[in-house]
Amino acid sequence: MTVGDPHTGNTGHHAPGEPSDGAPDPVALIALAEAHSAHNYHPLPVVLTSGSGAWVTDVTGRRLLDWLAGYSALNFGHGHPRLLARAHAQLDRLTLTSRAFHHDLFGRFCAELAELCGTDRVLPMNTGAEAVETGVKTARKWAYRVRGVPADRARIVVAAENFHGRTTTIVGFSTDEEARADHGPFTPGFDIVPYGDADAVGAAIEAADGTCAAVLLEPIQGESGVIVPPPGYLAAVRETTRRHGVLMIADEIQSGLGRTGRTLACEHEGVRPDLYLLGKALGGGLLPVSAVVGSDEVLSVHRPGEHGSTFGGNPLACAVALEVIAMLREGEPQRRATALGETLHRELAALREDPGSGVVAVRGRGLWAGVDVDPALGTGREVSERMLELGVLVKDTRASTIRIAPPLVIGEGDLMWGLERLREVLAR
């Protein structure tokens, strides 16, 4: 008896998580992941296998509406044809050179991204956390080389309840004890002030006695529950940083690139920081692409050999990001986020105003919302699990908050269908 097929590679054995009849078993696949991966995430019990637009399909063939969009990495949806076409074409040409050599897309990517942000230069990286780390290094280097801060004394003002990533330095200035636990000792040099309080920012800069390098903020705090600061806050911080001669750094990794109805969330207050930190949607949901974008004065402090990344600015990343930039220049993602956001917030406001709905508070901007649910109805995790049962993927953040951030390509009918499922869950 012959076992397997040497031409196809079929060994005659089924893979772990795949029953003998060939049909994927989601329970077995989840068990396989639990057995062999570190338990640093607690995913919802669903195993996805394909996606298109705002919809994904699990291994059982069930279609689900995506209301998370990869924490805004999928602003343009799953498998956007323009992005896939650019990626496929580049895969056949050149994917990686390292920064040891030039490639034909690098300069164009930097120039077009800088122009999109209304500034001069780009320092490309890969993940959002790398962009934040690069922003911190840039601010310190600028403080020493331009502002004249004494060596190793530079300080950076940050906001309480922030989320900028998971590196040791970044969690060191987090106020999330779960993220900080057992990761110390932490990097010094950060001063934490309440989010939304511009006066506290000014006081922290003054307390640093000439050693403050920068203020690092999220224009909207996504991980904390889509917290929108008071009107005028960003503009007041920008004025404060100008007055004191320190940098303003805006972490637009979640809020940027169309999510709020503008290319960058800072635009809602007419603010242009010294540095933008970008990521997530810059890679079109296909691969990690991030960048620090800023002025000549600030980014020119870097010299060869002082900072780098093997994959940062690689040809494949540049090809995809250039198409993302082209789509944002056309403005359709921003227009959709604005129009669909009006629908989303109108419907959520109606839920909040209904005393029997269980919705305690709603926040957000554009196609992005945080919904606080009465803890008596369940935790954010429990609400997310019930939404999954009804065909909608959403994720909790904090105790009783769910975040809603569908791909910007979602249809209004699909958005309304998802809102009906939310009403159904809350009514149970």
Side-chain angles (χ1 to χ4, degrees):
M1 182 176 72
T2 302
V3 178
D5 184 338
H7 301 290
T8 64
N10 181 1
T11 63
H13 301 287
H14 59 273
E18 183 180 282
S20 56
D21 63 4
D25 177 1
V27 174
L29 288 168
I30 291 171
L32 184 67
E34 289 294 301
H36 296 285
S37 70
H39 295 170
N40 58 319
Y41 276 88
H42 184 34
L44 292 173
V46 60
V47 182
L48 306 177
T49 186
S50 65
S52 179
W55 291 85
V56 292
T57 303
D58 73 6
V59 292
T60 71
R62 186 185 184 206
R63 294 181 75 231
L64 301 145
L65 183 63
D66 183 358
W67 261 18
L68 183 64
Y71 303 98
S72 291
L74 287 156
N75 280 3
F76 312 104
H78 296 270
H80 194 290
R82 286 176 59 173
L83 298 175
L84 288 177
R86 285 299 296 264
H88 287 156
Q90 191 62 37
L91 281 166
D92 290 333
R93 293 181 63 243
L94 183 69
T95 58
L96 181 65
T97 59
S98 83
R99 290 295 306 282
F101 314 104
H102 293 279
H103 66 80
D104 57 346
L105 296 180
F106 182 76
R108 186 177 150 211
F109 161 68
C110 292
E112 293 193 15
L113 183 58
E115 182 183 21
L116 184 74
C117 297
T119 188
D120 305 315
R121 290 184 184 270
V122 170
L123 199 167
M125 300 298 288
N126 307 285
T127 66
E130 287 176 89
V132 175
E133 287 274 359
T134 302
V136 168
K137 290 175 75 173
T138 300
R140 287 176 169 176
K141 198 176 289 289
W142 174 87
Y144 300 133
R145 292 182 176 173
V146 177
R147 193 166 191 235
V149 172
D152 298 332
R153 288 186 57 196
R155 306 197 67 78
I156 295 175
V157 178
V158 296
E161 307 301 323
N162 69 74
F163 181 83
H164 296 285
R166 301 283 191 181
T167 66
T168 307
T169 291
I170 293 170
V171 299
F173 60 81
S174 169
T175 54
D176 180 353
E177 288 306 317
E178 187 176 42
R180 291 170 55 88
D182 301 325
H183 291 142
F186 297 116
T187 309
F190 298 92
D191 299 310
I192 302 171
V193 300
Y195 185 64
D197 186 342
D199 290 339
V201 171
I205 294 173
E206 291 173 2
D209 194 22
T211 64
C212 183
V215 176
L216 167 61
L217 299 169
E218 299 158 90
I220 296 174
Q221 289 190 326
E223 200 70 18
S224 288
V226 193
I227 306 298
V228 181
Y233 169 68
L234 296 176
V237 170
R238 172 73 281 195
E239 177 55 32
T240 298
T241 56
R242 277 203 189 99
R243 187 170 67 252
H244 289 280
V246 304
L247 304 181
M248 179 180 179
I249 307 174
D251 180 345
E252 293 255 18
I253 292 165
Q254 282 197 50
S255 62
L257 307 184
R259 172 57 57 186
T260 68
R262 301 288 182 91
T263 302
L264 299 158
C266 285
E267 294 174 12
H268 289 281
E269 291 199 10
V271 167
R272 183 177 295 171
D274 297 288
L275 293 176
Y276 290 106
L277 310 180
L278 303 177
K280 294 198 185 295
L282 190 58
L286 303 186
L287 73 169
V289 183
S290 68
V292 178
V293 187
S295 67
D296 280 326
E297 177 197 1
V298 179
L299 283 177
S300 290
V301 299
H302 289 283
R303 299 166 184 163
E306 293 179 345
H307 186 63
S309 166
T310 300
F311 279 83
N314 68 76
L316 182 59
C318 288
V320 172
L322 279 165
E323 194 64 29
V324 166
I325 293 165
M327 293 163 68
L328 289 166
R329 278 177 168 167
E330 293 163 13
E332 181 64 13
Q334 298 93 315
R335 288 190 291 271
R336 293 189 63 82
T338 298
L340 291 167
E342 289 173 359
T343 299
L344 173 65
H345 289 286
R346 182 186 67 241
E347 297 297 318
L348 291 176
L351 268 176
R352 186 193 64 232
E353 291 164 7
D354 177 359
S357 71
V359 172
V360 176
V362 175
R363 299 166 302 278
R365 177 166 279 162
L367 197 55
W368 197 17
V371 180
D372 295 344
V373 176
D374 185 345
L377 294 182
T379 65
R381 171 77 184 196
E382 289 166 340
V383 172
S384 300
E385 289 172 345
R386 293 171 199 158
M387 290 288 282
L388 171 60
E389 292 172 6
L390 298 182
V392 180
L393 296 180
V394 71
K395 197 70 171 66
D396 56 300
T397 179
R398 307 300 164 116
S400 294
T401 302
I402 59 169
R403 107 185 75 202
I404 300 173
L408 307 183
V409 298
I410 191 172
E412 185 171 6
D414 289 340
L415 179 63
M416 292 298 293
W417 182 84
L419 286 163
E420 285 299 321
R421 303 291 77 73
L422 178 59
R423 288 190 184 92
E424 189 175 342
V425 164
L426 296 174
R428 286 186 178 184

